[in-house]
Amino acid sequence: AQSVSQHNHHVILSEAASLELGCNYSYGGTVNLFWYVQYPGQHLQLLLKYFSGDPLVKGIKGFEAEFIKSKFSFNLRKPSVQWSDTAEYFCAVNRGSSNTGKLIFGQGTTLQVKP
Amino acid sequence: GAVVSQHPSRVICKSGTSVKIECRSLDFQATTMFWYRQFPKQSLMLMATSNEGSKATYEQGVEKDKFLINHASLTLSTLTVTSAHPEDSSFYICSAEPGLAGPSSYNEQFFGPGTRLTVL
């Protein structure tokens, strides 16, 4: 079965530290990849997405992610985090060849940024 | 644009009663809506896919007779939790996917703020 794995469950960083959150998926076909963020008390928001083209994708708020097909990975990065980045981060995968937008989510990573 | 609302935002009910949750796409037509369930500190688990005018497709392990989904229009889907029990207490989230004429590209979903259900 298709699965999405996020290796870091809880990450604590100080402001200005660099961030990398891992995401691996198991599906071998064409995929669409997403990172969502859920700030405390708020709904899920799309940070960035990859459908095709340049594997280095830039999103909102200074986030970026790199799709490495050979590693089945789509890691999220930010060079310098801020206290306001404290949130839950979810990686999600959709089968690109399907006719539905069915998303499979990873377990989520809680990021805590200390001021 | 691309706003999805849910109503109510939180509901408390007694065991054995039914609860209806609405999901609306406010500024676009959603050919497909999805219903997720999120347990505390866990990920979203897809419950069902709802297409306007047709029966919902349920994920394995989700009881279709317990979680009734109706997608009667291109802007509204409802989830009814029938005969709710304490184990149904959870955070229910919907998302909506625009049709090809919508505000964004295919496969992007827009999420509602969620509904916290507590069954006593």
Side-chain angles (χ1 to χ4, degrees):
Chain A
Q2 184 180 2
S3 68
V4 180
S5 177
Q6 292 181 238
H7 317 296
N8 320 97
H9 297 294
H10 196 160
V11 174
I12 302 174
L13 295 173
S14 298
E15 276 194 314
S18 64
L19 170 72
E20 180 160 2
L21 301 181
C23 174
N24 286 89
Y25 60 93
S26 63
Y27 182 63
T30 302
V31 293
N32 299 319
L33 300 157
F34 306 82
W35 275 98
Y36 285 89
V37 61
Q38 189 174 31
Y39 297 104
Q42 297 189 27
H43 62 277
L44 278 166
Q45 300 174 40
L46 182 65
L47 269 181
L48 47 78
K49 61 189 178 187
Y50 172 81
F51 285 179
S52 63
D54 189 344
L56 185 60
V57 179
K58 295 193 183 298
I60 61 172
K61 304 186 181 186
F63 286 91
E64 65 178 32
E66 185 174 12
F67 170 50
I68 302 179
K69 189 174 182 179
S70 61
K71 294 184 178 180
F72 299 89
S73 69
F74 190 55
N75 292 356
L76 180 72
R77 299 194 292 250
K78 185 170 183 178
S80 176
V81 294
Q82 301 173 316
W83 175 79
S84 58
D85 293 324
T86 295
E88 190 84 14
Y89 292 82
F90 294 97
C91 179
V93 174
N94 164 247
R95 289 177 59 178
S97 59
S98 74
N99 290 324
T100 74
K102 178 176 171 179
L103 288 175
I104 307 298
F105 281 86
Q107 306 95 317
T109 297
T110 301
L111 172 64
Q112 183 182 352
V113 180
K114 294 184 174 180
Chain B
V3 178
V4 176
S5 70
Q6 281 183 243
H7 178 80
S9 58
R10 58 179 66 231
V11 56
I12 301 172
C13 69
K14 292 182 178 179
S15 185
T17 61
S18 295
V19 175
K20 180 185 284 188
I21 302 170
E22 293 185 348
C23 177
R24 292 181 185 273
S25 55
L26 298 185
D27 49 6
F28 65 98
Q29 292 186 327
T31 53
T32 306
M33 289 184 171
F34 302 87
W35 286 97
Y36 295 86
R37 185 170 176 175
Q38 185 180 29
F39 291 100
K41 301 297 182 182
Q42 294 188 31
S43 186
L44 284 76
M45 298 298 294
L46 179 65
M47 298 175 65
T49 302
S50 167
N51 290 297
E52 186 266 337
S54 62
K55 289 184 178 180
T57 302
Y58 290 81
E59 295 299 301
Q60 192 173 9
V62 178
E63 299 175 62
K64 62 180 182 181
D65 294 330
K66 181 168 187 61
F67 298 99
L68 301 179
I69 292 172
N70 184 285
H71 193 161
S73 78
L74 286 173
T75 59
L76 174 64
S77 176
T78 60
L79 168 68
T80 301
V81 183
T82 62
S83 186
H85 291 285
E87 58 265 29
D88 299 324
S89 297
S90 191
F91 196 55
Y92 293 88
I93 301 173
C94 74
S95 69
E97 184 180 285
L100 293 178
S104 186
S105 56
Y106 183 64
N107 277 346
E108 182 170 349
Q109 295 176 33
F110 300 93
F111 286 80
T115 297
R116 173 76 59 194
L117 170 63
T118 303
V119 185
L120 302 177

